[in-house]
Amino acid sequence: MLNGSIIKKRRKELKMNQLELAKGITNQPTISLLENENRPPSVGVLIQIAQKLDLDLNDIAGVPSAPTIQKSLSEAEHLVETYNYSKAKVALTKLFAEKKELNSLVQDRLDCLLAICDMWLTKDWDTAIFNFNQITIVASQHKLESVFPVLALVETGVAYFNKKDTAKQSFYFTEAAKRIVNVTPNEDNIYWYLFILNNIAKYYSKTGDFEQSTLISTEAISIGQEFSTSYFIEMFYYLIAYANESINDGDVTAEEYQKALFFAEYNKNETIIKQAKKHIAALKRN
């Protein structure tokens, strides 16, 4: 049954009168009938009213809102981002049972997150490689732009790194670097987009390709600024500083290490705090 009192309560919370709520949607008498007599308008009008008041249609109808798959997936994704793989796997496994209801992009996301959890919980690198390759193959079939097939390439490279297979590691990181340019960063994928760039930049730094590492890190900083996020920014400044130090550009290096230290303290990245302080002290001695 329609619950007009919820609309009335929300309207008053927003300090809005009935005329203001009706503007651009319907008329004031319709709002009055809706609030006081629970008389429903057309579905289209009801949807617009709910959107204007930032209400869920289920709430207006008196039905408690069930958590959506997207909301549950986002909560599980946050657990993966914070390395809480055990809890994340429980949540993702539950969602996996409902996989038939998901579209291709959401399936990519679910499959990739679950594969990441499995990899770090079991350290079974061979199974991880199989899982990530499967994700990449399936994603290539539906040809939809998504950050997760590229993430699967990066994680395959990580698995080969742990297997100490340099040649295969190189192939997957290089392939990820080629494919990430075809993905557009947005509010929904920005964490994983920068995560991918971080891993690729670190790979190039470890292999001595400081030019590529710096180019990717500089681009990542610019993208992070565009989205007003500090994800991995301390790492990008650190990689730039390390590259400059390796080519003996001391003045720029000190400045970049200071930036790396500032953001590492902001993001509570103890590893980079320690490393940046170590390099700054060494540069001062020189």
Side-chain angles (χ1 to χ4, degrees):
M1 179 180 173
L2 192 67
N3 191 341
S5 64
I6 290 177
I7 292 174
K8 185 175 185 178
K9 179 182 177 183
R10 178 61 175 162
R11 174 177 61 78
K12 289 187 173 181
E13 286 174 353
L14 296 174
K15 295 180 171 51
M16 190 184 297
N17 61 38
Q18 290 183 344
L19 263 177
E20 289 170 328
L21 176 56
K23 187 176 181 180
I25 301 175
T26 184
N27 52 46
Q28 183 272 330
T30 298
I31 300 297
S32 179
L33 289 170
L34 174 59
E35 290 184 351
N36 300 313
E37 298 182 23
N38 295 325
R39 191 177 299 180
S42 68
V43 173
V45 168
L46 191 60
I47 289 172
Q48 290 183 73
I49 290 171
Q51 289 174 338
K52 194 166 186 177
L53 296 174
D54 194 23
L55 287 172
D56 191 291
L57 278 176
N58 286 329
D59 292 331
I60 296 173
V63 179
S65 297
T68 64
I69 288 176
Q70 285 284 4
K71 181 181 178 183
S72 299
L73 187 51
S74 293
E75 290 171 353
E77 185 173 41
H78 179 68
L79 291 171
V80 177
E81 291 172 2
T82 53
Y83 312 109
N84 198 334
Y85 298 121
S86 295
K87 287 186 177 180
K89 184 174 180 181
V90 171
L92 291 165
T93 301
K94 182 179 178 182
L95 284 170
F96 194 83
E98 305 167 19
K99 190 174 177 180
K100 62 180 183 293
E101 302 176 15
L102 308 181
N103 63 43
S104 297
L105 288 175
V106 178
Q107 284 182 9
D108 288 346
R109 184 180 174 194
L110 172 59
D111 292 345
C112 198
L113 294 173
L114 194 54
I116 291 172
C117 290
D118 284 337
M119 180 172 75
W120 291 113
L121 288 171
T122 67
K123 305 293 177 69
D124 183 344
W125 311 120
D126 290 323
T127 299
I129 289 165
F130 174 82
N131 289 338
F132 289 125
N133 278 328
Q134 190 176 40
I135 292 165
T136 306
I137 292 168
V138 171
S140 68
Q141 293 171 349
H142 56 64
K143 297 180 180 179
L144 295 171
E145 182 186 281
S146 170
V147 75
F148 291 100
V150 188
L151 177 59
L153 290 172
V154 165
E155 295 295 350
T156 307
V158 170
Y160 276 119
F161 169 80
N162 283 282
K163 284 172 64 69
K164 298 180 171 55
D165 191 327
T166 305
K168 290 175 183 174
Q169 174 194 170
S170 174
F171 171 82
Y172 282 97
F173 277 112
T174 303
E175 192 65 20
K178 292 177 185 175
R179 295 198 191 184
I180 191 63
V181 298
N182 297 321
V183 179
T184 303
N186 56 52
E187 293 289 348
D188 293 328
N189 70 16
I190 189 62
Y191 174 88
W192 293 114
Y193 194 96
L194 293 175
F195 177 92
I196 289 167
L197 293 184
N198 178 41
N199 276 269
I200 295 171
K202 285 194 292 186
Y203 164 74
Y204 282 125
S205 180
K206 287 176 182 176
T207 56
D209 191 341
F210 297 118
E211 182 179 358
Q212 280 298 316
S213 178
T214 299
L215 282 172
I216 292 169
S217 296
T218 303
E219 178 190 6
I221 291 169
S222 176
I223 293 170
Q225 290 172 342
E226 180 183 346
F227 286 88
S228 301
T229 180
S230 64
Y231 292 139
F232 310 107
I233 191 169
E234 72 278 10
M235 194 67 219
F236 295 125
Y237 277 121
Y238 180 84
L239 289 169
I240 292 171
Y242 185 76
N244 288 333
E245 186 177 14
S246 299
I247 58 175
N248 299 315
D249 192 353
D251 291 338
V252 178
T253 301
E255 180 182 346
E256 302 303 339
Y257 275 133
Q258 289 287 357
K259 290 178 182 177
L261 177 60
F262 173 82
F263 285 107
E265 290 174 338
Y266 178 81
N267 286 337
K268 297 180 174 60
N269 187 329
E270 295 298 329
T271 300
I272 297 301
I273 290 172
K274 182 179 179 180
Q275 290 298 319
K277 285 182 176 179
K278 177 182 174 182
H279 284 280
I280 292 167
L283 286 167
K284 286 181 179 178
R285 288 196 296 270
N286 295 333

